[in-house]
Amino acid sequence: MDRLRILASPSDAQRITRRSLLAGFAVAGAGLTLSACSRGGVPSPPADGIMEDQLNIYSWGDYDDPDNIAEFGRRGVTIQIDNFGSNEELVAKLGAARGTSGYDIVVPTGSYVPVMARAGLLEKLDHSYLPNLANVEPIYRHQPWDRTNEYVVCKNWGTTGFVYDTRVIHRELTSWNDFLDAAQNEARGKTSVLEDPWEVCSIFFAANGFNLNTTDERQLDACEKYMVGTFAPTISAFISQVSAQLAQRQFALMQAFNGDVRLALLEDDDPDRWRFVFPTPTANLWMDTWAIAKGAQHPDAAYAFINYMLEPEVGMKEMEYIGYPTGLIGQQQLAVENEVPMIDLIYPTQATLDRLTPSEVTDAIPRLVKIFNRIQAGAVA
């Protein structure tokens, strides 16, 4: 019998999918200043390769192919998956537990890895137990926030853009400036943005040529003035999962993540009416990662699971299920050969990738939260 427990109702799992942050930045001020809480090193997996019969995972909702999870469970491991809604929730949970969370594997976004490592929330990885790490493309093995994969391994990556209804907006939109203009005109009152302070404020920063990770007070002031006074009244919703909204034709313009839009369009009865944009001049390039939590009680199962997820066939199924690449060598070419639908929404062009900006956890986060709260208060939602 397949061994799998997901501690979330089907409705909850849909609500807190990977990119649904649920405005969790409210805990940023406290959660990101954790002191080190190491409880000592996690034991290495046994030389005979025998795994424990339990694996506890703390991840985003509906973020893995159930068939892959079930297949690993057939190795005699009961898999329990709990869901969180934001990186801040993950940090707060592990920080409060101080190495006794009970979780073996966690899935932080890459930009949070330095904070979590400094706070002693993650175990250092022993690469000898991850031979399939060699299957990961070099570009995804050497990120600025963990150059040598000391703590994490690539799980998935993606970007942010927007999708619009061509039956309502007849002109071509290509930039964040276009997004802001359409929100005030054709899509006024029919515009949604993500439930994420960094992403929403980045619309203004990108449109004005500012660094998306700016900490400049004058630029933050300008953002607050425009986004609260001019943009907020055009917004009718804050949504990170666009499937239902596309189907109901409720909105004409939606900030969204590329993989989520692809999944929504695959289910839509008229996908040609929608157009997704990788907007200029820049947008977020995020990566989620596999990591082993401090104090993991089932390290051999954890290493075996991560290594399993780095197998080409398993990674391919993951990519097709959630709509985001897993960073494995040759995966894009294999997707082309297998005629994976809407592959252009999974893999941005190299020109697009070259102009994207990875999000960072900076001292400006509390200010972005305050701006976001004022935007929400001023919206027509």
Side-chain angles (χ1 to χ4, degrees):
M1 180 176 64
D2 299 339
R3 304 184 179 192
L4 171 64
R5 293 178 62 201
I6 299 180
L7 299 187
S9 67
S11 60
D12 287 337
Q14 179 69 15
R15 177 175 59 84
I16 55 175
T17 54
R18 158 59 187 98
R19 305 313 310 175
S20 299
L21 300 186
L22 305 182
F25 282 82
V27 302
L32 301 183
T33 58
L34 298 169
S35 60
C37 53
S38 173
R39 291 297 193 206
V42 70
S44 296
D48 58 13
I50 298 175
M51 293 186 293
E52 304 95 351
D53 60 3
Q54 179 74 31
L55 180 65
N56 301 322
I57 301 174
Y58 197 31
S59 182
W60 309 88
D62 194 24
Y63 202 30
D64 289 292
D65 182 347
D67 290 341
N68 280 338
I69 300 294
E71 179 61 33
F72 185 82
R74 293 187 183 100
R75 303 183 182 189
V77 180
T78 298
I79 303 173
Q80 176 174 300
I81 301 177
D82 291 357
N83 299 148
F84 57 80
S86 72
N87 283 287
E88 289 74 21
E89 183 180 345
L90 167 63
V91 171
K93 183 71 170 280
L94 296 186
R98 300 182 67 83
T100 62
S101 68
Y103 295 117
D104 304 302
I105 292 176
V106 292
V107 185
T109 299
S111 56
Y112 283 75
V113 171
V115 171
M116 297 178 70
R118 287 195 299 268
L121 305 183
L122 305 176
E123 296 286 356
K124 292 184 178 181
L125 298 177
D126 184 338
H127 290 185
S128 67
Y129 297 105
L130 296 172
N132 286 337
L133 182 59
N135 294 334
V136 180
E137 291 193 46
I139 188 174
Y140 303 120
R141 294 205 307 261
H142 305 293
Q143 295 300 302
W145 27 261
D146 190 16
R147 290 287 187 188
T148 60
N149 294 103
E150 185 176 20
Y151 290 98
V152 300
V153 175
C154 175
K155 181 192 187 300
N156 296 100
W157 61 268
T159 186
T160 311
F162 62 84
V163 61
Y164 65 96
D165 187 343
T166 60
R167 304 282 179 85
V168 177
I169 303 172
H170 303 295
R171 55 186 167 124
E172 183 180 12
L173 307 182
T174 62
S175 68
W176 286 117
N177 270 314
D178 292 341
F179 179 92
L180 292 172
D181 184 74
Q184 295 175 64
N185 292 286
E186 304 102 311
R188 189 177 187 89
K190 295 183 178 181
T191 296
S192 73
V193 293
L194 296 168
E195 298 173 290
D196 186 318
W198 190 96
E199 292 284 7
V200 173
C201 292
S202 288
I203 298 173
F204 176 83
F205 296 143
N208 287 274
F210 299 153
N211 185 333
L212 301 192
N213 296 300
T214 183
T215 58
D216 187 302
E217 287 296 331
R218 291 172 297 180
Q219 295 176 359
L220 293 169
D221 289 344
C223 175
E224 183 166 10
K225 180 178 179 180
Y226 178 86
M227 296 297 275
V228 174
T230 302
F231 183 59
T234 73
I235 303 172
S236 54
F238 297 81
I239 298 167
S240 292
Q241 183 70 13
V242 300
S243 296
Q245 284 66 42
L246 260 71
Q248 296 169 9
R249 316 296 190 234
Q250 185 177 358
F251 301 100
L253 181 66
M254 291 172 280
Q255 185 188 24
F257 300 104
N258 60 310
D260 287 352
V261 172
R262 173 182 173 271
L263 294 178
L265 294 182
L266 287 174
E267 299 174 357
D268 197 274
D269 58 7
D270 186 15
D272 291 339
R273 73 181 290 162
W274 300 98
R275 181 168 299 160
F276 181 80
V277 178
F278 293 103
T280 59
T282 189
N284 189 9
L285 177 62
W286 53 263
M287 179 188 292
D288 289 333
T289 65
W290 297 114
I292 296 180
K294 177 64 68 175
Q297 297 301 301
H298 310 105
D300 48 337
Y303 274 109
F305 181 86
I306 295 173
N307 196 57
Y308 164 77
M309 284 295 185
L310 299 180
E311 294 178 5
E313 182 178 347
V314 175
M316 185 71 179
K317 291 174 65 177
E318 288 290 292
M319 179 269 291
E320 291 189 77
Y321 181 80
I322 64 174
Y324 296 106
T326 64
L328 299 185
I329 295 171
Q331 187 177 83
Q332 183 172 359
Q333 182 58 39
L334 189 59
V336 172
E337 294 172 359
N338 289 349
E339 299 182 345
V340 172
M342 296 188 183
I343 193 172
D344 57 321
L345 290 185
I346 300 176
Y347 291 98
T349 65
Q350 189 59 51
T352 296
L353 290 174
D354 288 344
R355 59 179 172 78
L356 297 180
T357 304
S359 60
E360 298 176 6
V361 178
T362 70
D363 293 339
I365 290 295
R367 178 69 186 280
L368 297 183
V369 173
K370 292 179 180 178
I371 294 172
F372 182 74
N373 289 340
R374 291 196 64 196
I375 293 172
Q376 286 186 308
V380 297

